[in-house]
Amino acid sequence: GGERQDPVQLPRSGQRAVTLDVSKSTPYATNPNNNLVGTFNLSGYNTSNDIRVDFWFQHHGAGQGAGSQNKVWARGSDTDPWVEVYDLGVNQPQMPGVYKQSASIELADSLAAKGQQFGSSTQVRFGQRALYAMGDRLHFGGYSFDDVRLYQAVNDIAVLGIDAPSQVACELTSATAVTIVVRNTMNATV
């Protein structure tokens, strides 16, 4: 396993992206599991701060899909147990070679639910497993990641649904009432 250092660059923006795949395809793949770990000093924060991560990713063909290693995990310190925060295989774009933005992943809530706090060695881990190396944007296996952001959300709410009007409503006017369901994703009143 390992990350590719290949002349084929697959950035969504800028000049670089990171691709995780195998260095030798089946039947020569001896360790098809890869991890990319980022360590961050978040000692000035705690889980009452709404710290999040998001990123853009793409897969490179039919050889990449759901699996126990194709996930993103986080932990409050480099000695805490890993907490799964996102499933790459379930959420990957339908078509290979197309970047998709992840959800805004609420690290604070995920870590607090497991009794963890942010610290000087908070980590985020991207995992990947496939038996085939990336051939190009569209073929074989691997994930590419770009534009990873670690940030604090402020005054954030999410629209969960539209209750009224219904999707088949006719003759709507500017006076038609709209009812939505929202979720306060903050750890405070918005």
Side-chain angles (χ1 to χ4, degrees), residues 68-100:
S68 61
Q69 180 66 16
N70 298 326
K71 315 253 187 202
V72 178
W73 297 269
R75 60 184 178 178
S77 77
D78 59 353
T79 59
D80 286 335
W82 289 105
V83 176
E84 181 183 323
V85 295
Y86 192 77
D87 190 317
L88 295 166
V90 168
N91 292 295
Q92 75 184 23
Q94 187 175 11
M95 300 296 299
V98 176
Y99 271 103
K100 176 182 179 182

mmCIF file of all heavy atoms in Angstrom, residues 68-100:
data_model
loop_
_atom_site.group_PDB
_atom_site.id
_atom_site.type_symbol
_atom_site.label_atom_id
_atom_site.label_comp_id
_atom_site.label_asym_id
_atom_site.label_seq_id
_atom_site.Cartn_x
_atom_site.Cartn_y
_atom_site.Cartn_z
ATOM 1 N N SER A 68 -14.665 -1.772 4.879
ATOM 2 C CA SER A 68 -14.391 -1.348 6.250
ATOM 3 C C SER A 68 -13.223 -0.371 6.342
ATOM 4 O O SER A 68 -13.101 0.348 7.329
ATOM 5 C CB SER A 68 -14.118 -2.564 7.133
ATOM 6 O OG SER A 68 -12.976 -3.259 6.660
ATOM 7 N N GLN A 69 -12.355 -0.308 5.355
ATOM 8 C CA GLN A 69 -11.206 0.597 5.386
ATOM 9 C C GLN A 69 -11.494 1.920 4.665
ATOM 10 O O GLN A 69 -10.767 2.885 4.838
ATOM 11 C CB GLN A 69 -9.993 -0.096 4.754
ATOM 12 C CG GLN A 69 -8.720 0.711 4.717
ATOM 13 C CD GLN A 69 -8.132 1.008 6.086
ATOM 14 O OE1 GLN A 69 -8.481 0.399 7.092
ATOM 15 N NE2 GLN A 69 -7.232 1.977 6.137
ATOM 16 N N ASN A 70 -12.553 1.964 3.856
ATOM 17 C CA ASN A 70 -12.854 3.152 3.053
ATOM 18 C C ASN A 70 -13.712 4.124 3.863
ATOM 19 O O ASN A 70 -14.889 4.323 3.593
ATOM 20 C CB ASN A 70 -13.535 2.747 1.745
ATOM 21 C CG ASN A 70 -12.638 1.866 0.906
ATOM 22 O OD1 ASN A 70 -11.429 2.026 0.911
ATOM 23 N ND2 ASN A 70 -13.228 0.926 0.204
ATOM 24 N N LYS A 71 -13.089 4.738 4.851
ATOM 25 C CA LYS A 71 -13.777 5.585 5.820
ATOM 26 C C LYS A 71 -12.881 6.760 6.208
ATOM 27 O O LYS A 71 -11.712 6.797 5.860
ATOM 28 C CB LYS A 71 -14.093 4.808 7.095
ATOM 29 C CG LYS A 71 -14.676 3.422 6.882
ATOM 30 C CD LYS A 71 -16.097 3.352 7.208
ATOM 31 C CE LYS A 71 -16.565 1.896 7.141
ATOM 32 N NZ LYS A 71 -17.919 1.743 6.948
ATOM 33 N N VAL A 72 -13.461 7.659 6.986
ATOM 34 C CA VAL A 72 -12.696 8.732 7.630
ATOM 35 C C VAL A 72 -12.961 8.608 9.127
ATOM 36 O O VAL A 72 -14.094 8.388 9.546
ATOM 37 C CB VAL A 72 -13.127 10.126 7.115
ATOM 38 C CG1 VAL A 72 -12.355 11.229 7.827
ATOM 39 C CG2 VAL A 72 -12.932 10.226 5.604
ATOM 40 N N TRP A 73 -11.898 8.712 9.929
ATOM 41 C CA TRP A 73 -11.989 8.618 11.377
ATOM 42 C C TRP A 73 -11.362 9.849 12.004
ATOM 43 O O TRP A 73 -10.593 10.555 11.363
ATOM 44 C CB TRP A 73 -11.221 7.394 11.897
ATOM 45 C CG TRP A 73 -11.712 6.069 11.444
ATOM 46 C CD1 TRP A 73 -12.628 5.273 12.061
ATOM 47 C CD2 TRP A 73 -11.289 5.348 10.281
ATOM 48 N NE1 TRP A 73 -12.801 4.108 11.349
ATOM 49 C CE2 TRP A 73 -12.001 4.135 10.249
ATOM 50 C CE3 TRP A 73 -10.394 5.623 9.253
ATOM 51 C CZ2 TRP A 73 -11.835 3.191 9.246
ATOM 52 C CZ3 TRP A 73 -10.231 4.686 8.254
ATOM 53 C CH2 TRP A 73 -10.950 3.486 8.255
ATOM 54 N N ALA A 74 -11.657 10.071 13.256
ATOM 55 C CA ALA A 74 -11.025 11.157 14.014
ATOM 56 C C ALA A 74 -10.804 10.670 15.436
ATOM 57 O O ALA A 74 -11.419 9.703 15.891
ATOM 58 C CB ALA A 74 -11.910 12.404 14.013
ATOM 59 N N ARG A 75 -9.930 11.363 16.145
ATOM 60 C CA ARG A 75 -9.735 11.124 17.575
ATOM 61 C C ARG A 75 -9.168 12.376 18.215
ATOM 62 O O ARG A 75 -8.474 13.167 17.560
ATOM 63 C CB ARG A 75 -8.862 9.905 17.835
ATOM 64 C CG ARG A 75 -7.464 9.949 17.275
ATOM 65 C CD ARG A 75 -6.788 8.625 17.533
ATOM 66 N NE ARG A 75 -5.437 8.547 16.988
ATOM 67 C CZ ARG A 75 -4.659 7.492 17.128
ATOM 68 N NH1 ARG A 75 -5.078 6.436 17.800
ATOM 69 N NH2 ARG A 75 -3.443 7.484 16.626
ATOM 70 N N GLY A 76 -9.484 12.553 19.495
ATOM 71 C CA GLY A 76 -9.104 13.763 20.204
ATOM 72 C C GLY A 76 -7.615 13.897 20.437
ATOM 73 O O GLY A 76 -7.080 14.999 20.483
ATOM 74 N N SER A 77 -6.927 12.770 20.599
ATOM 75 C CA SER A 77 -5.467 12.777 20.766
ATOM 76 C C SER A 77 -4.902 11.538 20.087
ATOM 77 O O SER A 77 -5.641 10.617 19.739
ATOM 78 C CB SER A 77 -5.074 12.770 22.248
ATOM 79 O OG SER A 77 -5.234 11.473 22.800
ATOM 80 N N ASP A 78 -3.591 11.516 19.934
ATOM 81 C CA ASP A 78 -2.959 10.390 19.237
ATOM 82 C C ASP A 78 -2.977 9.086 20.043
ATOM 83 O O ASP A 78 -2.536 8.054 19.542
ATOM 84 C CB ASP A 78 -1.537 10.744 18.809
ATOM 85 C CG ASP A 78 -0.626 11.120 19.967
ATOM 86 O OD1 ASP A 78 -1.101 11.239 21.114
ATOM 87 O OD2 ASP A 78 0.572 11.304 19.724
ATOM 88 N N THR A 79 -3.527 9.104 21.259
ATOM 89 C CA THR A 79 -3.643 7.874 22.050
ATOM 90 C C THR A 79 -5.103 7.439 22.244
ATOM 91 O O THR A 79 -5.351 6.371 22.791
ATOM 92 C CB THR A 79 -2.977 8.038 23.430
ATOM 93 O OG1 THR A 79 -3.601 9.124 24.124
ATOM 94 C CG2 THR A 79 -1.479 8.302 23.286
ATOM 95 N N ASP A 80 -6.057 8.265 21.813
ATOM 96 C CA ASP A 80 -7.480 7.910 21.937
ATOM 97 C C ASP A 80 -7.873 6.904 20.860
ATOM 98 O O ASP A 80 -7.241 6.832 19.797
ATOM 99 C CB ASP A 80 -8.364 9.160 21.771
ATOM 100 C CG ASP A 80 -8.329 10.085 22.976
ATOM 101 O OD1 ASP A 80 -8.048 9.605 24.088
ATOM 102 O OD2 ASP A 80 -8.587 11.291 22.789
ATOM 103 N N PRO A 81 -8.939 6.146 21.107
ATOM 104 C CA PRO A 81 -9.439 5.244 20.055
ATOM 105 C C PRO A 81 -10.026 6.051 18.888
ATOM 106 O O PRO A 81 -10.557 7.147 19.077
ATOM 107 C CB PRO A 81 -10.544 4.438 20.745
ATOM 108 C CG PRO A 81 -10.562 4.840 22.170
ATOM 109 C CD PRO A 81 -9.666 6.025 22.356
ATOM 110 N N TRP A 82 -9.930 5.492 17.693
ATOM 111 C CA TRP A 82 -10.486 6.130 16.503
ATOM 112 C C TRP A 82 -12.008 6.090 16.528
ATOM 113 O O TRP A 82 -12.598 5.096 16.952
ATOM 114 C CB TRP A 82 -9.988 5.441 15.238
ATOM 115 C CG TRP A 82 -8.538 5.688 14.952
ATOM 116 C CD1 TRP A 82 -7.501 4.813 15.134
ATOM 117 C CD2 TRP A 82 -7.952 6.888 14.440
ATOM 118 N NE1 TRP A 82 -6.320 5.387 14.761
ATOM 119 C CE2 TRP A 82 -6.562 6.668 14.320
ATOM 120 C CE3 TRP A 82 -8.458 8.127 14.057
ATOM 121 C CZ2 TRP A 82 -5.680 7.634 13.840
ATOM 122 C CZ3 TRP A 82 -7.579 9.083 13.574
ATOM 123 C CH2 TRP A 82 -6.216 8.839 13.469
ATOM 124 N N VAL A 83 -12.641 7.153 16.044
ATOM 125 C CA VAL A 83 -14.093 7.267 15.945
ATOM 126 C C VAL A 83 -14.429 7.461 14.466
ATOM 127 O O VAL A 83 -13.943 8.422 13.844
ATOM 128 C CB VAL A 83 -14.616 8.479 16.762
ATOM 129 C CG1 VAL A 83 -16.120 8.641 16.582
ATOM 130 C CG2 VAL A 83 -14.234 8.345 18.230
ATOM 131 N N GLU A 84 -15.226 6.561 13.902
ATOM 132 C CA GLU A 84 -15.627 6.716 12.501
ATOM 133 C C GLU A 84 -16.539 7.930 12.361
ATOM 134 O O GLU A 84 -17.504 8.082 13.102
ATOM 135 C CB GLU A 84 -16.362 5.474 12.011
ATOM 136 C CG GLU A 84 -16.786 5.569 10.557
ATOM 137 C CD GLU A 84 -17.581 4.376 10.088
ATOM 138 O OE1 GLU A 84 -17.281 3.235 10.511
ATOM 139 O OE2 GLU A 84 -18.524 4.582 9.296
ATOM 140 N N VAL A 85 -16.218 8.815 11.384
ATOM 141 C CA VAL A 85 -17.013 10.024 11.190
ATOM 142 C C VAL A 85 -17.618 10.127 9.786
ATOM 143 O O VAL A 85 -18.506 10.953 9.557
ATOM 144 C CB VAL A 85 -16.202 11.303 11.518
ATOM 145 C CG1 VAL A 85 -15.842 11.341 13.004
ATOM 146 C CG2 VAL A 85 -14.963 11.438 10.644
ATOM 147 N N TYR A 86 -17.148 9.311 8.823
ATOM 148 C CA TYR A 86 -17.662 9.423 7.455
ATOM 149 C C TYR A 86 -17.330 8.146 6.698
ATOM 150 O O TYR A 86 -16.235 7.606 6.832
ATOM 151 C CB TYR A 86 -17.018 10.627 6.752
ATOM 152 C CG TYR A 86 -17.664 11.033 5.452
ATOM 153 C CD1 TYR A 86 -18.866 11.737 5.430
ATOM 154 C CD2 TYR A 86 -17.068 10.729 4.232
ATOM 155 C CE1 TYR A 86 -19.450 12.134 4.241
ATOM 156 C CE2 TYR A 86 -17.640 11.127 3.036
ATOM 157 C CZ TYR A 86 -18.837 11.824 3.045
ATOM 158 O OH TYR A 86 -19.413 12.214 1.858
ATOM 159 N N ASP A 87 -18.266 7.671 5.890
ATOM 160 C CA ASP A 87 -18.079 6.463 5.087
ATOM 161 C C ASP A 87 -17.872 6.866 3.627
ATOM 162 O O ASP A 87 -18.804 7.311 2.953
ATOM 163 C CB ASP A 87 -19.305 5.556 5.222
ATOM 164 C CG ASP A 87 -19.100 4.184 4.609
ATOM 165 O OD1 ASP A 87 -18.532 4.094 3.502
ATOM 166 O OD2 ASP A 87 -19.519 3.196 5.238
ATOM 167 N N LEU A 88 -16.650 6.721 3.138
ATOM 168 C CA LEU A 88 -16.332 7.108 1.763
ATOM 169 C C LEU A 88 -17.060 6.237 0.746
ATOM 170 O O LEU A 88 -17.581 6.741 -0.252
ATOM 171 C CB LEU A 88 -14.822 7.007 1.519
ATOM 172 C CG LEU A 88 -13.948 7.966 2.318
ATOM 173 C CD1 LEU A 88 -12.491 7.541 2.257
ATOM 174 C CD2 LEU A 88 -14.123 9.382 1.792
ATOM 175 N N GLY A 89 -17.078 4.917 0.967
ATOM 176 C CA GLY A 89 -17.694 4.005 0.006
ATOM 177 C C GLY A 89 -19.175 4.258 -0.187
ATOM 178 O O GLY A 89 -19.678 4.266 -1.308
ATOM 179 N N VAL A 90 -19.888 4.479 0.906
ATOM 180 C CA VAL A 90 -21.329 4.727 0.831
ATOM 181 C C VAL A 90 -21.614 6.081 0.180
ATOM 182 O O VAL A 90 -22.593 6.226 -0.547
ATOM 183 C CB VAL A 90 -21.956 4.663 2.250
ATOM 184 C CG1 VAL A 90 -23.370 5.191 2.257
ATOM 185 C CG2 VAL A 90 -21.904 3.242 2.781
ATOM 186 N N ASN A 91 -20.762 7.059 0.418
ATOM 187 C CA ASN A 91 -20.999 8.425 -0.053
ATOM 188 C C ASN A 91 -20.257 8.800 -1.325
ATOM 189 O O ASN A 91 -20.354 9.936 -1.774
ATOM 190 C CB ASN A 91 -20.624 9.415 1.053
ATOM 191 C CG ASN A 91 -21.567 9.329 2.220
ATOM 192 O OD1 ASN A 91 -22.739 9.626 2.105
ATOM 193 N ND2 ASN A 91 -21.055 8.872 3.357
ATOM 194 N N GLN A 92 -19.502 7.870 -1.915
ATOM 195 C CA GLN A 92 -18.690 8.243 -3.071
ATOM 196 C C GLN A 92 -19.559 8.612 -4.274
ATOM 197 O O GLN A 92 -20.695 8.161 -4.383
ATOM 198 C CB GLN A 92 -17.698 7.153 -3.429
ATOM 199 C CG GLN A 92 -18.257 5.936 -4.113
ATOM 200 C CD GLN A 92 -17.189 4.875 -4.331
ATOM 201 O OE1 GLN A 92 -16.181 4.826 -3.646
ATOM 202 N NE2 GLN A 92 -17.420 4.017 -5.296
ATOM 203 N N PRO A 93 -19.030 9.456 -5.165
ATOM 204 C CA PRO A 93 -19.778 9.822 -6.355
ATOM 205 C C PRO A 93 -20.132 8.582 -7.174
ATOM 206 O O PRO A 93 -19.390 7.601 -7.174
ATOM 207 C CB PRO A 93 -18.805 10.707 -7.144
ATOM 208 C CG PRO A 93 -17.742 11.100 -6.184
ATOM 209 C CD PRO A 93 -17.692 10.050 -5.130
ATOM 210 N N GLN A 94 -21.258 8.629 -7.847
ATOM 211 C CA GLN A 94 -21.684 7.489 -8.649
ATOM 212 C C GLN A 94 -20.697 7.206 -9.772
ATOM 213 O O GLN A 94 -20.388 6.060 -10.059
ATOM 214 C CB GLN A 94 -23.075 7.728 -9.219
ATOM 215 C CG GLN A 94 -23.648 6.526 -9.930
ATOM 216 C CD GLN A 94 -25.083 6.758 -10.377
ATOM 217 O OE1 GLN A 94 -25.593 7.863 -10.351
ATOM 218 N NE2 GLN A 94 -25.736 5.705 -10.790
ATOM 219 N N MET A 95 -20.196 8.257 -10.396
ATOM 220 C CA MET A 95 -19.282 8.117 -11.524
ATOM 221 C C MET A 95 -17.835 8.307 -11.068
ATOM 222 O O MET A 95 -17.547 9.214 -10.290
ATOM 223 C CB MET A 95 -19.604 9.152 -12.609
ATOM 224 C CG MET A 95 -21.003 9.043 -13.186
ATOM 225 S SD MET A 95 -21.292 7.496 -14.067
ATOM 226 C CE MET A 95 -20.085 7.598 -15.349
ATOM 227 N N PRO A 96 -16.906 7.488 -11.576
ATOM 228 C CA PRO A 96 -15.496 7.701 -11.242
ATOM 229 C C PRO A 96 -14.972 8.977 -11.889
ATOM 230 O O PRO A 96 -15.507 9.452 -12.889
ATOM 231 C CB PRO A 96 -14.810 6.464 -11.823
ATOM 232 C CG PRO A 96 -15.709 5.988 -12.909
ATOM 233 C CD PRO A 96 -17.102 6.345 -12.474
ATOM 234 N N GLY A 97 -13.938 9.536 -11.293
ATOM 235 C CA GLY A 97 -13.273 10.698 -11.860
ATOM 236 C C GLY A 97 -13.986 12.013 -11.644
ATOM 237 O O GLY A 97 -13.597 13.026 -12.207
ATOM 238 N N VAL A 98 -15.051 12.008 -10.824
ATOM 239 C CA VAL A 98 -15.821 13.225 -10.554
ATOM 240 C C VAL A 98 -15.665 13.560 -9.075
ATOM 241 O O VAL A 98 -15.958 12.724 -8.218
ATOM 242 C CB VAL A 98 -17.319 13.019 -10.889
ATOM 243 C CG1 VAL A 98 -18.138 14.240 -10.519
ATOM 244 C CG2 VAL A 98 -17.496 12.656 -12.346
ATOM 245 N N TYR A 99 -15.211 14.762 -8.782
ATOM 246 C CA TYR A 99 -15.076 15.161 -7.384
ATOM 247 C C TYR A 99 -16.442 15.410 -6.751
ATOM 248 O O TYR A 99 -17.351 15.924 -7.403
ATOM 249 C CB TYR A 99 -14.240 16.439 -7.248
ATOM 250 C CG TYR A 99 -12.763 16.170 -7.108
ATOM 251 C CD1 TYR A 99 -11.899 16.344 -8.177
ATOM 252 C CD2 TYR A 99 -12.240 15.737 -5.897
ATOM 253 C CE1 TYR A 99 -10.541 16.099 -8.035
ATOM 254 C CE2 TYR A 99 -10.887 15.486 -5.748
ATOM 255 C CZ TYR A 99 -10.033 15.669 -6.827
ATOM 256 O OH TYR A 99 -8.703 15.419 -6.683
ATOM 257 N N LYS A 100 -16.559 15.035 -5.488
ATOM 258 C CA LYS A 100 -17.768 15.274 -4.687
ATOM 259 C C LYS A 100 -17.321 15.870 -3.361
ATOM 260 O O LYS A 100 -16.330 15.423 -2.781
ATOM 261 C CB LYS A 100 -18.506 13.957 -4.445
ATOM 262 C CG LYS A 100 -19.718 14.095 -3.545
ATOM 263 C CD LYS A 100 -20.384 12.741 -3.289
ATOM 264 C CE LYS A 100 -21.579 12.897 -2.372
ATOM 265 N NZ LYS A 100 -22.202 11.596 -2.081
#
